[in-house]
Amino acid sequence: MRSKIVVGNWKLNGSLAGNEALLKALLRDIPRENPAACAVCVPSPYLAQVRALLEGSGIAWGAQDLSRFDQGAYTGEVSGRMLVELGCRYVIVGHSERRTIFGETDALAAQKYVAARNAGLTPIFCVGETLQERERGEMQSVLARQVDALLHAYGAVGLERGIVAYEPVWAIGTGRTATAAQADEAHAFIRGRIAAKDEAVARQLPILYGGSVKAANAAELFAMPNVDGGLVGGASLVAQEFVAIWRAALVR
Ligand code: 13P
């Protein structure tokens, strides 16, 4: 059985003082021996601070993006190798905000996924349709295109130690969560697409739901057979909310 994972995506939020207060509050409630994995993906400048506070705890950490390059003349980039040096286990790849605001393509997201895996990180590969795409009945074709970019770049075997996050763009930061049934349907479609290439890889692949996950809706979402946890934005900045979401992942 797949175990649950709850990952916070702090996005462009945080301060040295605020991070410390938030993480200390999480550490009071999330034990070292942790049956549901828990992580925070923070802005890269804070990784050293986060590492110092979380090392040896039940909370892992990661970044929100990485370069497709390992090193060289690429001003402004941060490589997977650097993230590993800072103790990262996870890195988010292809988040819809990177795709829509910063123009990242399916191909670039797939290249970043490969770079993350080559560096030894667990990439969290984000996919999801916009509201217009859903209303036009294109949810499945968009998800297929995004997943196929990864399958073409790396093959299904590349997903063996990766994570996929289904984040419908219309549910991100809007307070409008997908229903548990909508999330499960999309997750089942993604899993099926990968199973067509490799059944065993698809069966063990964690698929997280992201988009206005809150303490109030987490348990219902996580109870669905194809939902293996959450990628949490706004609610991950509030200790009580994030802990409650993590607790919801403990109950199957
Ligand atoms: P919200 O939880 O704020 O909707 O953000 C979801 C998200 O984008 C996580 O990566």
Side-chain angles (χ1 to χ4, degrees):
M1 195 173 84
R2 297 178 300 270
S3 56
K4 295 272 199 278
I5 309 169
V6 173
V7 180
N9 174 9
W10 288 5
K11 308 194 179 183
L12 187 56
N13 294 293
S15 65
L16 289 173
N19 303 344
E20 183 169 345
L22 173 58
L23 292 175
K24 284 187 169 163
L26 297 183
L27 288 169
R28 277 196 284 278
D29 285 319
I30 299 177
R32 202 182 155 145
E33 295 307 323
N34 186 341
C38 179
V40 288
C41 289
V42 309
S44 292
Y46 295 134
L47 282 169
Q49 179 202 21
V50 168
R51 172 192 205 162
L53 285 161
L54 295 184
E55 199 140 48
S57 78
I59 308 173
W61 59 96
Q64 299 168 14
D65 186 27
L66 84 167
S67 177
R68 70 185 209 266
F69 300 111
D70 185 49
Q71 61 176 28
Y74 303 108
T75 302
E77 293 285 88
V78 172
S79 73
R81 183 178 52 78
M82 295 170 186
L83 299 180
V84 168
E85 275 199 305
L86 283 157
C88 289
R89 184 180 307 163
Y90 300 102
V91 62
I92 297 171
V93 170
H95 191 280
S96 67
E97 286 150 17
R98 303 254 16 122
R99 293 174 187 263
T100 57
I101 304 169
F102 300 100
E104 288 195 9
T105 59
D106 292 331
L108 179 57
Q111 285 175 330
K112 289 184 171 190
Y113 183 97
V114 175
R117 284 284 280 104
N118 288 345
L121 292 159
T122 300
I124 302 172
F125 188 78
C126 299
V127 297
E129 81 288 358
T130 64
L131 185 59
Q132 293 89 321
E133 288 165 339
R134 174 169 278 263
E135 283 172 349
R136 287 200 298 260
E138 294 171 5
M139 187 261 280
Q140 292 196 346
S141 61
V142 170
L143 295 181
R145 193 196 73 223
Q146 293 170 335
V147 169
D148 287 355
L150 189 53
L151 293 171
H152 288 145
Y154 211 20
V157 77
L159 281 161
E160 221 167 0
R161 272 177 295 128
I163 295 173
V164 169
Y166 170 61
E167 298 207 310
V169 178
W170 47 272
I172 296 177
T174 58
R176 185 177 164 189
T177 319
T179 63
Q182 283 173 323
D184 199 61
E185 183 198 359
H187 288 216
F189 176 79
I190 293 165
R191 202 180 297 290
R193 191 92 189 163
I194 295 161
K197 298 269 185 248
D198 191 320
E199 178 91 46
V201 165
R203 207 175 317 117
Q204 59 77 46
L205 177 72
I207 304 181
L208 313 184
Y209 168 78
S212 299
V213 176
K214 308 182 226 12
N217 57 30
E220 196 187 347
L221 286 160
F222 298 169
M224 301 308 281
N226 280 294
V227 179
D228 304 310
L231 183 55
V232 185
S236 74
L237 302 172
V238 182
Q240 266 187 326
E241 275 285 307
F242 192 62
V243 167
I245 293 166
W246 168 76
R247 288 211 174 104
L250 296 174
V251 194
R252 176 105 201 164

